[in-house]
Amino acid sequence: MQTSVVVFTCDLRLSDHPPLRAALHGGGRVVPLFVRDPAVDAAGFAAPNRLAFLSDCLRDLDARLRERGGRLVLREGDTVTEVCRVAAEADADEVHMAGDVSAFAHTRERRLRRALEADGRRLYVHDTVCTAVAPGAVTPASSDHFAVFTPYYRHWSAQGLRDALDPPGAVAVPEKVGSAPLPKRDDVNGVSPGLCAGGETEGRRRLTAWLRSGVAAYEERHDDLAGDATSRLSPHLHFGTLSPVEVVHRARRAGGAGAEAFVRQVAWRDFNRQVLAARPDAAAHDYRTHRDRWRGGRDAEADAQAWREGRTGYPIVDAAMRQLRHEGWMHNRGRLLAASFLAKTLYVDWRVGARHFLDLLVDGDMANNQLNWQWMAGTGTDTRPNRVLNPVTQGKRYDPDGAYVRRWVPELAEVKAAYVHEPWRLPAQERASTGYPEPVVSLAEGLDRFKRARGRA
C-alpha cells in the first residue's frame, strides 16, 4: 500500500484540499503533517495572536482527522529536515503540499524538493489551495504579472474555477509515526483579549452564517465601521481553514450585488499574491519608489508610538488602532485610514506600520499586509499614489454618529456627534475633562509636509 505525506502550511482544513485528495487517491495511507519551524519565529512572524489562532486550528484539524480514523502529526524543527524524517519513518514515496508565494515559501520548496529527490522521493506542489486563481495563471501580454487591479479582476473573473472537493471519508495514518503534543491557546502569552476562535469548524460556521445573513448587504455596508458588516473571514482565509475556491463558489451561488462585491475582495487577495509571487522583494522594498526620505529621529518615533497606542488625537484613527490591539483584527476601512495617517499625514515609513500590523493581526498575511501598506503609502500598485485620506472627513462619512469611535475611545463616549470626530472644537473645559490628547499634528501641516516631500507643493 502506497504511503504519502501531506505537509499542511496555509491550508489547515480537510474540505477542498487538493494535496490531501491526491495523497489519498487509490486508497493509500497518509501522514498529515504540520511542522512548527523555528525559522518562522526567527523571521519575526510568530506573533502571539497568530500562534493562539494556529493552536485552535491545529487542534480542530486533529479532531476532524480523528473523526475519520486519522490524526495530525506535529513536529518541531526545520521543515525540510522534519518532512524528510517523517517520510523515511513512514516509508513514504510522495510528499504533497500547497504552493505559496513568499520568498520563504519558495526557498522552502526548492530545498525540500532537492532533499526528497536525493532520497528517491517526489514532491508534488498543488496550486489553487491557498488562492482561488493561481499566481501567474492570468498575465498581461507585456509582463509576468498585473500591476493594476481592474484589468486583473476582469481576467480573474473569466477564469473557470475548479470544483470544490469534499472532505475525505476516511484517513489511514501509519501508527509508527510519532507526534509532538499539540499546542494550546492558553499556553501563548500576549494574546489580544478579544481574539476570535480558530479552526475549520469555526470557519465553516462563520461562512455559512455570513452567506445566510450578511453578504446580501455587503456592497452597501462594507465601509460601515460601527455596523461591523464585513465577513471577518480573513483569519480563516489566511490560515486556510476556509478554501478560497469554495468561498467564491458559495458566494456566487448566493448571488446578488453584495456577493459580487465580496468576491471582488477575494480577488484582491489573489491580486496581491500574484504581485508578490512575481516581485518577492516587494515584501520589504518599494514596488514603485518615489525616493521618499521618510521622517526619522525622536519626533517621528514619538508620533509613531502615539499612533501605535491609539493616541494621535484623531478619533477614527485611534479607534481603529485600539480595535487592533484588543481584537488582533481591524475593520478594512480602519486599516486604510490608519495606514494613510501614518505614511502620509505623519510621513513615517510604511514598513514601521506594516511591522506593527504583523505584530498584532491574526490575519497578518505577507502579501496582503505588505502590499496593502504599499498601496496606501503610494509606493505600491495604487494608480493615485499621492491620495491622502482625511480622518475627519472619513470619520463623518463612515461613522456619522460616532458609534465606532465611542466603542473604542471611551474618553469620548459622552461627546456629541457634532464633536466626536473633532474633539478639539469642544469648549476648553469640556475638552480637558475628556482626557483625550491633542492632535499630534494638524492635518494642514501634515498634508503640506507630504506634498513637499513628494515634490508636489
Side-chain angles (χ1 to χ4, degrees):
M1 181 181 294
Q2 179 173 296
T3 301
S4 302
V5 175
V6 175
V7 183
F8 287 84
T9 54
C10 57
D11 50 348
L12 303 179
R13 63 181 186 270
L14 297 186
S15 298
D16 192 40
H17 199 284
L20 183 59
R21 171 63 68 88
L24 289 170
H25 181 71
R29 299 182 304 174
V30 64
V31 181
L33 172 67
F34 183 85
V35 180
R36 181 76 173 83
D37 194 330
V40 175
D41 297 16
F45 298 125
N49 287 334
R50 291 196 293 282
L51 289 179
F53 195 92
L54 173 64
S55 298
D56 292 348
C57 294
L58 295 177
R59 299 183 78 84
D60 184 72
L61 180 59
D62 180 65
R64 291 174 68 83
L65 284 164
R66 288 181 184 277
E67 290 172 356
R68 293 161 173 80
R71 61 190 170 92
L72 180 65
V73 173
L74 176 69
R75 293 293 176 93
E76 299 181 3
D78 172 67
T79 297
V80 173
T81 301
E82 294 305 318
V83 171
C84 290
R85 181 174 289 144
V86 168
E89 291 174 12
D91 195 23
D93 304 303
E94 302 174 353
V95 174
H96 296 260
M97 67 187 302
D100 205 353
V101 299
S102 70
F104 178 85
H106 287 163
T107 300
R108 177 182 61 195
E109 179 185 325
R110 287 193 298 269
R111 289 181 56 224
L112 182 56
R113 188 179 301 280
R114 286 197 299 266
L116 288 170
E117 287 177 351
D119 289 341
R121 298 182 172 92
R122 296 191 64 181
L123 174 66
Y124 294 91
V125 177
H126 299 259
D127 289 330
T128 66
V129 181
C130 303
T131 58
V133 173
V138 292
T139 57
S142 59
S143 178
D144 58 355
H145 72 289
F146 279 95
V148 179
F149 176 73
T150 300
Y152 172 79
Y153 180 58
R154 187 167 58 250
H155 286 79
W156 184 94
S157 298
Q159 291 291 300
L161 301 187
R162 62 172 178 78
D163 293 335
L165 305 171
D166 292 331
V171 179
V173 180
E175 294 183 3
K176 61 183 177 181
V177 180
S179 174
L182 295 174
K184 300 177 182 178
R185 174 187 280 237
D186 292 344
D187 293 337
V188 183
N189 296 319
V191 177
S192 292
L195 183 70
C196 59
E200 182 180 6
T201 302
E202 174 65 10
R204 298 188 70 78
R205 183 196 69 79
R206 280 184 174 270
L207 175 61
T208 297
W210 164 249
L211 294 175
R212 181 187 302 122
S213 60
V215 74
Y218 181 73
E219 185 179 35
E220 296 82 23
R221 299 192 60 210
H222 68 276
D223 278 323
D224 179 0
L225 284 158
D228 196 16
T230 63
S231 71
R232 286 185 175 254
L233 295 176
S234 55
H236 293 281
L237 288 168
H238 173 65
F239 281 89
T241 54
L242 288 176
S243 155
V245 169
E246 183 182 2
V247 167
V248 171
H249 278 309
R250 291 182 63 179
R252 285 175 170 166
R253 285 199 297 271
E260 290 177 14
F262 174 62
V263 167
R264 185 180 176 90
Q265 295 305 309
V266 179
W268 262 110
R269 183 175 179 273
D270 280 7
F271 172 76
N272 284 334
R273 285 177 169 255
Q274 60 96 38
V275 172
L276 190 63
R279 300 289 184 272
D281 63 341
H285 302 284
D286 289 350
Y287 180 80
R288 290 173 175 153
T289 184
H290 291 278
R291 293 179 171 80
D292 287 291
R293 300 180 65 179
W294 304 104
R295 291 173 62 221
R298 187 175 303 173
D299 288 346
E301 176 51 35
D303 286 350
Q305 188 59 26
W307 175 83
R308 294 185 191 99
E309 295 173 358
R311 295 189 60 79
T312 67
Y314 289 94
I316 200 72
V317 173
D318 293 343
M321 296 304 294
R322 296 185 194 189
Q323 180 183 27
L324 172 62
R325 187 165 294 279
H326 181 80
E327 294 188 351
W329 184 88
M330 189 193 294
H331 191 287
N332 186 57
R333 176 56 54 175
R335 299 187 198 207
L336 298 176
L337 292 170
S340 174
F341 189 82
L342 183 76
K344 290 178 173 172
T345 302
L346 297 181
Y347 200 56
V348 170
D349 194 330
W350 63 267
R351 282 160 280 244
V352 173
R355 178 70 264 168
H356 182 69
F357 272 31
L358 283 178
D359 286 344
L360 290 173
L361 281 175
V362 64
D363 60 10
D365 180 277
M366 181 58 67
N368 278 353
N369 187 66
Q370 306 304 89
L371 291 171
N372 283 338
W373 264 97
Q374 291 222 47
W375 194 88
M376 281 312 308
T379 63
T381 62
D382 187 7
T383 55
R384 293 171 53 198
N386 295 306
R387 82 174 81 200
V388 178
L389 300 182
N390 183 308
V392 176
T393 302
Q394 294 270 310
K396 291 178 178 179
R397 180 179 301 163
Y398 298 117
D399 186 33
D401 298 324
Y404 180 73
V405 165
R406 293 189 187 90
R407 183 182 306 161
W408 296 109
V409 186
E411 304 98 300
L412 303 178
E414 303 303 322
V415 172
K416 296 178 181 179
Y419 298 102
V420 73
H421 293 295
E422 300 173 282
W424 52 86
R425 294 178 52 235
L426 287 165
Q429 187 173 354
E430 186 178 351
R431 172 83 177 93
S433 70
T434 66
Y436 186 67
E438 297 289 333
V440 293
V441 66
S442 75
L443 295 181
E445 180 184 345
L447 181 59
D448 180 66
R449 179 172 56 200
F450 175 70
K451 285 182 175 180
R452 284 187 282 106
R454 288 277 172 97
R456 299 178 64 86

